Amino acid sequence: MNNYEYIIASLPVLEKDEKDLDTDALIGQIKELCSDKDRRTVEFLLDGYDGSKLSESFYREALKSGSRYIREFFTFDLNVRNSKVKYLNEALDRPEGKDVIEIETDEFSERSKIEGILAGSNLLARERDIDELFWQKIDELTEMEVFSLDRILGLVSKIKIIDRWVKLDRQTGRELFRKLVKEIKETHGI
C-alpha cells in the first residue's frame, strides 16, 4: 500500500527562526516511509545528484525508466548539462563535442533560456536562474499529481535544490525551503 498522503503531510514546517535545515534527514524520512520499490526509485533519482554516477549509461537507464517523472526530469537534466558543456567548450575554445553526452532526446524548448542565462556574468545569479528553471520543470512535471510517487520525486528534487543553496547561500536556501512548505500547504490544504 502506498502512503503518499502521509509522506507529504508529515513533512516539517520551517519555523522562522530555524537555524539548521537537515535536508539529508528529511530525505531519509521520506525514503523510510516509502515502499521498497518506491525507495529504489527515490534512490535512483538521488543518484542523479551524484556527479560521479552521471554517465551515458545512467542517462540511458533514466530515459528507459518506468517512472514518467524520472524519464522527463533526466531528459531535461541531460539537455541542461549538455547545453552547459557546449557553452563551456565554446567559451574555453575546446573541441565542440568534448564531454557532451550524445543521447537523442526530444527538442529542448528551454535551450534559448539556458543560453541566455549562461551568457550572464554573475556566476551565482546564473546558477540561481538555472535552478529556477529546474524548479519550474519540477512544477510542470508534478502539476497534475497530488498524492503520487511523482509528487514525492518532485519534492525530493526540490529538497536537493534547497540543499545546494543552503550550502552555497544559506539565505537563498531558507527562502526556497519556505517556498516549498508554502506550496505543499496550498496544494494539499495542510
Side-chain angles (χ1 to χ4, degrees):
M1 178 175 161
N2 297 322
N3 53 349
Y4 304 129
E5 298 93 343
Y6 180 74
I7 294 170
I8 292 168
S10 70
L11 293 174
V13 175
L14 178 67
E15 298 299 324
K16 186 173 92 174
D17 60 348
E18 188 166 346
K19 300 282 187 253
D20 296 309
L21 300 173
D22 191 346
T23 55
D24 290 334
L26 188 54
I27 290 173
Q29 176 185 346
I30 291 169
K31 286 174 25 179
E32 186 176 294
L33 295 170
C34 286
S35 68
D36 289 342
K37 180 182 178 195
D38 290 348
R39 186 177 308 111
R40 285 190 300 273
T41 305
V42 170
E43 288 170 353
F44 184 85
L45 172 69
L46 293 170
D47 284 347
Y49 291 92
D50 180 345
S52 68
K53 295 184 180 181
L54 294 179
S55 64
E56 183 174 334
S57 62
F58 173 85
Y59 282 107
R60 287 195 185 284
E61 185 177 348
L63 274 53
K64 291 188 302 185
S65 173
S67 165
R68 180 189 65 85
Y69 183 89
I70 294 289
R71 285 190 315 273
E72 293 185 25
F73 179 80
F74 283 112
T75 296
F76 183 78
D77 182 76
L78 175 62
N79 285 323
V80 169
R81 288 179 188 278
N82 278 341
S83 294
K84 289 167 81 173
V85 169
K86 289 174 184 176
Y87 176 83
L88 288 172
N89 285 346
E90 186 176 319
L92 300 173
D93 227 9
R94 293 173 45 184
E96 188 176 312
K98 183 165 181 60
D99 298 324
V100 173
I101 296 176
E102 298 290 343
I103 297 176
E104 187 76 27
T105 62
D106 292 336
E107 180 60 33
F108 182 44
S109 61
E110 290 89 353
R111 184 177 316 282
S112 63
K113 287 181 186 175
I114 288 291
E115 289 171 354
I117 290 169
L118 293 172
S121 60
N122 182 320
L123 181 60
L124 202 57
R126 287 191 323 218
E127 292 301 312
R128 192 174 7 252
D129 290 346
I130 289 171
D131 280 343
E132 181 59 33
L133 278 181
F134 270 98
W135 196 282
Q136 291 169 10
K137 185 60 162 184
I138 295 163
D139 285 343
E140 176 188 313
L141 293 175
T142 60
E143 182 176 30
M144 301 305 288
E145 304 293 329
V146 180
F147 297 115
S148 69
L149 180 58
D150 282 354
R151 174 61 81 180
I152 301 298
L153 295 171
L155 291 172
V156 170
S157 296
K158 286 182 175 182
I159 291 167
K160 291 303 288 183
I161 292 172
I162 293 165
D163 181 58
R164 180 171 185 250
W165 282 98
V166 164
K167 292 172 182 161
L168 288 174
D169 176 12
R170 190 167 206 61
Q171 183 60 33
T172 299
R174 290 173 55 85
E175 289 168 12
L176 287 171
F177 192 78
R178 282 190 195 97
K179 180 179 176 180
L180 176 61
V181 169
K182 182 179 179 205
E183 287 175 8
I184 292 169
K185 285 181 174 182
E186 289 173 354
T187 304
H188 304 294
I190 297 173

